Amino acid sequence: MKTCPKCNSQIDEDMVLCPTCGEHLRTFSDKNIFDKHHVILIRFLTVLSILLPPVGAIVGTIIKKRHNSLGKLCFRYSILGFVIYCMMTLLALVCYLAMAFMGISYL
């Protein structure tokens, strides 16, 4: 057990905020939560999610001439991928704003 530097109440070792006064007990530099490899993976998946829907739409348009049903399927899934990407982008923005509001930054 450790004590809060602001209100001196007893708190657990792994707590980030004091439950009594709300004081920030630890910064992200104390414990590297966002490892460099995780950031690289997130960036790779973000770029992949941006590139795949347009590629699917182009492939679907090209294939549609020879294989109508397969072309339509590619085009539909590319639109679905774009919608999912937009939803995930909004979720990430909300999470980032919530973290910024709480005073936490990982950049």
Side-chain angles (χ1 to χ4, degrees):
M1 297 289 279
K2 65 180 184 177
T3 59
C4 174
K6 187 174 180 181
C7 67
N8 293 326
S9 63
Q10 295 290 325
I11 52 174
D12 291 334
E13 294 289 329
D14 58 346
M15 296 194 78
V16 178
L17 295 172
C18 176
T20 307
C21 66
E23 178 72 17
H24 287 279
L25 303 172
R26 175 178 16 159
T27 62
F28 282 113
S29 61
D30 292 343
K31 188 174 182 181
N32 193 4
I33 293 176
F34 291 97
D35 194 27
K36 184 177 181 178
H37 299 293
H38 293 130
V39 172
I40 291 171
L41 178 65
I42 290 170
R43 288 179 182 165
F44 172 75
L45 292 175
T46 302
V47 169
L48 192 65
S49 67
I50 291 170
L51 293 178
L52 280 181
V55 168
I58 292 168
V59 169
T61 305
I62 293 171
I63 292 177
K64 190 175 179 182
K65 293 177 184 176
R66 291 187 184 171
H67 307 284
N68 192 24
S69 61
L70 184 61
K72 286 182 180 179
L73 188 66
C74 285
F75 195 75
R76 284 183 190 159
Y77 280 119
S78 68
I79 292 173
L80 178 65
F82 182 71
V83 169
I84 291 172
Y85 168 74
C86 290
M87 290 171 49
M88 294 303 288
T89 302
L90 287 174
L91 178 65
L93 181 64
V94 167
C95 291
Y96 180 76
L97 290 174
M99 288 173 58
F101 180 72
M102 291 178 6
I104 302 169
S105 176
Y106 64 90
L107 297 177

